[in-house]
Amino acid sequence: MTSAFTPPSLRVAPRHVEVGDEFVASFAVVGYPREVYPGWLQPLLAYPGRVDVSLHVEPIDPATAADRLKRQLGKLEAGRRHTAEKGRLADPAVEVAAEDAHDLSARVARRISKLYRLGLYLTVHAPTEQALAEEVAAVRSLAASLLLNAQPTSYRSLQGWVSCLPIGLDTLRMRRTFDTDALAAAFPFTSADLPAADPATMALPAGVLYGYNLGSGSLLHWDRFAGDNYNSVILARSGSGKSYLAKLETLRWLYAGVESAIIDPEDEYATLCRAVGGTHIPLGAGDVRINPFDLPLAPLPDGRISAPPDALTRRALFLHTVIEVMLGTELAAQQRAVLDTAILATYQRAGITAQPTTWTRPAPLLKDLAAVLAASKDPNARDLGARLHPFVAGAFSGLFAGPTSTQPDGHLLVFSLRDLPDELKAIGLLLALDAVWRRVSNPATRRPRLVLVDEAWLLMQHPAGARFLYRLANSARKRWVGLTVITPNIVDLTQSELGRAIIANSTTQILLRQAPQAIDEVAALFGLSDGEREHLLSAGRGVGLLVAGQHRAAFQALASPREDTLITTDPAQLAALHDDAAPDGVVVLEPDPDGYIELDQSDEVA
């Protein structure tokens, strides 16, 4: 009768053991570096293959420790005197060992440190004997890079395998004396930190600092540009710190020289933009306009202008998306047909044809398209022209009333949508995102960049906008761009096929505090455990879970005081920082002695 914990078969060879259908080989570490740093076992724990690391610790009582140190010091001192009496050169290894023994003896005598016997063993798993040989070579190389001398347990392979089982048996008994500091540096034995790209290196971690790990207390670094793709999603309920974390990540990538472009619905990034000398474009202001008819032309370093061979066709297709988002509905087949004809006719009236030599001419405006539609005999065209009237000559015409006023440029580019009416926020987000994407798609200026879309639910509400965002998420990696999608309305993503595809196409997924009404859907989508589920329900502001493939880490966002003043959105904190300053975008009114209200800055309000 076999137990559930008993392998189906066991075959012992001189250098390995066959446990069921897998091969395992064990090592004992017999040589260590002179000095160790905190977390010095982490490279072994982060090895991408399957390696069992077993640490056996046995305390040594103070009396025995003092006696052993005394005898060891006597041997070392006797060796040094013998060498000096014979007139030989001193052995550097003996000199260093004597100094270390004196120091350790003094710390043990003062009860500052204790001694322990430590056994460190490794067991490597592989599906075949040939794969086992390759894994063994890789693990031994990794151990050698850490100055660890890992010797195979030849003819004791079974004892080596047993010593690495979680049953607390050390059948090898190959121990080394450690003091308290060296032993403490090996803990935590397991770490929730995300593994480094190269676990054999001791260099500083790549990427940016997100905060500190709640499981191990160490710092959490993550490099999104080292993943399969560079996209990221931040999902959280309002007030949980999602914009705070996004601004913190953006600022730290700016430190590393990565350009960023941000679509900001609430003008939360203006302070950060001013502090780093970025470009702030407030859509909705009287002198700021974006012309959706601009062709995707890109300047070259030599002064010439490049464009894709199908630039006019691409712009015509994009204008279909613009009109659908603008009108808030999908167009019927007949409407799309008349709209396509009208768009090409509008370009032709401006002198722009399929010939690339005409593409540098001034682009037409939305009012030109409306005029072409109104002049058509087709009732579908006239209906579309009438529906465009508010955006051409009505209340919503300011954004489209002329040529593009500001060309997006700079290491930090922020499109603010706060001044736009709610009816124009979705189309403003779409046009801003298109302007950013045309810039990052220029192959002449290709470099790592981030594009951040805050409050993405505004665009996901429209099927055409959701399709546009999905296409950008799919093509971002080819342009060396990481797209960050932030939304508090998780349902807009999870209940849409395109939304779920955007999440699946993001290597980095960050979950902050979740609402009880949405936690079931979030837990099913991300495969959360019961502990992770409860963690997200009770998480404080800035506390969340970073998910990257099979790796997960619970963390707390960490910012310096200077960073905090640039990225905070806490109303009380902002009020304390700006007690005497008028809020951005507010006109201050002074009372007039004659009973009238007089503008403080100008007699005209845009």
Side-chain angles (χ1 to χ4, degrees):
M1 182 175 179
T2 60
S3 169
F5 298 98
T6 304
S9 62
L10 189 68
R11 180 177 179 272
V12 181
R15 294 183 178 271
H16 68 267
V17 178
E18 294 182 38
V19 183
D21 56 355
E22 71 174 2
F23 294 76
V24 299
S26 301
F27 301 89
V29 177
V30 297
Y32 296 83
R34 182 172 179 262
E35 296 181 356
V36 294
Y37 53 91
W40 60 283
L41 282 178
Q42 179 60 28
L44 292 175
L45 301 176
Y47 182 76
R50 183 183 173 187
V51 176
D52 297 335
V53 182
S54 179
L55 199 64
H56 295 266
V57 181
E58 179 184 355
I60 303 175
D61 68 275
T64 303
D67 182 66
R68 290 181 178 179
L69 282 173
K70 183 178 180 180
R71 283 187 291 172
Q72 183 68 16
L73 279 172
K75 293 178 182 179
L76 293 172
E77 288 296 336
R80 294 172 67 184
R81 290 181 181 179
H82 180 75
T83 300
E85 290 173 355
K86 295 295 182 179
R88 300 171 183 170
L89 294 175
D91 186 353
V94 175
E95 297 292 326
V96 171
E99 293 177 6
D100 291 344
H102 276 289
D103 179 67
L104 182 59
S105 178
R107 287 190 285 118
V108 170
R110 295 185 177 94
R111 304 285 178 161
I112 298 176
S113 183
K114 294 183 179 181
L115 296 186
Y116 302 85
R117 298 287 291 172
L118 180 140
L120 177 59
Y121 312 118
L122 312 175
T123 295
V124 182
H125 297 250
T128 64
E129 189 171 359
Q130 181 179 358
L132 179 66
E134 297 174 355
E135 290 290 327
V136 164
V139 172
R140 293 194 70 181
S141 298
L142 174 59
S145 69
L146 301 175
L147 302 181
L148 296 174
N149 183 10
Q151 293 297 327
T153 56
S154 300
Y155 296 98
R156 300 183 68 188
S157 55
L158 179 60
Q159 290 88 335
W161 175 63
V162 170
S163 297
C164 286
L165 292 176
I167 55 178
L169 292 179
D170 182 5
T171 56
L172 289 174
R173 305 292 298 180
M174 301 181 70
R175 305 289 185 88
R176 175 72 176 267
T177 302
F178 270 56
D179 65 337
T180 304
D181 293 340
L183 182 61
F187 286 86
F189 182 64
T190 58
S191 172
D193 291 343
L194 298 171
D198 182 7
T201 181
M202 294 173 60
L204 292 175
V208 297
L209 172 67
Y210 278 75
Y212 63 88
N213 190 297
L214 296 177
S216 65
S218 60
L219 298 179
L220 174 63
H221 288 79
W222 178 243
D223 184 5
R224 58 191 294 180
F225 287 97
D228 297 334
N229 61 68
Y230 322 134
N231 297 339
S232 171
V233 292
I234 301 179
L235 307 178
R237 65 183 300 179
S238 297
S240 57
K242 59 185 183 302
S243 296
Y244 187 96
L245 178 62
K247 283 182 278 189
L248 183 63
E249 182 190 17
T250 300
L251 181 59
R252 288 174 175 168
W253 277 117
L254 286 173
Y255 298 156
V258 177
E259 294 184 2
S260 298
I262 299 172
I263 313 299
D264 179 14
E266 298 297 336
D267 203 30
E268 298 180 19
Y269 297 76
T271 302
L272 173 62
C273 185
R274 288 193 295 267
V276 301
T279 303
H280 185 254
I281 303 178
L283 300 183
D287 57 345
V288 178
R289 296 178 296 274
I290 294 182
N291 184 12
F293 284 81
D294 288 338
L295 293 176
L297 308 179
L300 296 175
D302 58 4
R304 295 182 299 165
I305 296 178
S306 67
D310 56 347
L312 184 60
T313 303
R314 290 188 184 185
R315 189 57 10 182
L317 294 175
F318 173 71
L319 285 168
H320 282 267
T321 302
V322 170
I323 300 301
E324 287 187 350
V325 174
M326 192 178 294
L327 301 180
T329 182
E330 290 193 68
L331 300 180
Q334 298 85 349
Q335 293 174 319
R336 295 183 66 88
V338 298
L339 178 61
D340 191 67
T341 302
I343 290 173
L344 295 179
T346 303
Y347 275 112
Q348 289 174 359
R349 285 191 178 186
I352 299 175
T353 65
Q355 294 297 325
T357 55
T358 66
W359 293 351
T360 56
R361 296 174 180 174
L365 301 176
L366 185 63
K367 64 180 181 180
D368 300 322
L369 174 62
V372 171
L373 290 170
S376 175
K377 297 180 180 180
D378 192 311
N380 289 311
R382 292 197 301 270
D383 177 64
L384 284 177
R387 295 172 66 183
L388 289 178
H389 180 269
F391 306 96
V392 174
F396 305 144
S397 60
L399 186 61
F400 317 100
T404 300
S405 58
T406 304
Q407 294 298 330
D409 196 11
H411 56 280
L412 176 61
L413 181 64
V414 176
F415 283 89
S416 174
L417 310 182
R418 185 185 64 180
D419 296 334
L420 286 174
D422 290 342
E423 294 80 1
L424 288 182
K425 285 190 183 293
I427 186 61
L429 190 153
L430 177 64
L431 294 178
L433 197 56
D434 174 68
V436 169
W437 213 258
R438 281 187 286 162
R439 178 170 177 263
V440 302
S441 298
N442 184 2
T445 60
R446 186 155 295 174
R447 59 178 61 92
R449 290 184 172 103
L450 293 180
V451 176
L452 190 149
V453 183
D454 206 342
E455 304 291 346
W457 63 273
L458 292 170
L459 199 58
M460 294 298 297
Q461 287 181 329
H462 304 275
R467 289 194 297 269
F468 182 79
L469 192 61
Y470 171 71
R471 289 196 298 269
L472 299 188
N474 272 347
S475 59
R477 184 187 64 83
K478 301 175 184 177
R479 290 162 175 80
W480 209 356
V481 172
L483 177 65
T484 300
V485 176
I486 306 174
T487 181
N489 294 348
I490 302 176
V491 175
D492 290 331
L493 289 180
T494 57
Q495 291 190 353
S496 163
E497 291 292 338
L498 295 176
R500 288 194 293 270
I502 291 174
I503 294 176
N505 205 31
S506 300
T507 298
T508 305
Q509 300 162 351
I510 299 177
L511 305 175
L512 302 180
R513 186 171 69 238
Q514 302 295 320
Q517 297 82 358
I519 190 62
D520 291 337
E521 193 164 359
V522 173
L525 181 63
F526 293 92
L528 301 180
S529 65
D530 291 341
E532 292 168 339
R533 173 193 173 105
E534 295 302 320
H535 171 70
L536 293 180
L537 283 174
S538 60
R541 182 174 299 178
V543 176
L545 183 70
L546 193 152
V547 180
Q550 298 299 318
H551 306 289
R552 304 186 177 202
F555 71 98
Q556 164 72 62
L558 186 63
S560 68
R562 174 57 177 158
E563 290 173 327
D564 183 68
T565 59
L566 296 179
I567 64 180
T568 183
T569 55
D570 183 7
Q573 188 174 354
L574 291 175
L577 293 173
H578 307 287
D579 281 336
D580 300 327
D584 293 339
V586 175
V587 179
V588 179
L589 302 179
E590 298 291 348
D592 185 73
D594 298 327
Y596 295 95
I597 296 295
E598 188 176 274
L599 293 181
D600 181 57
Q601 299 171 346
S602 170
D603 292 333
E604 182 179 348
V605 180

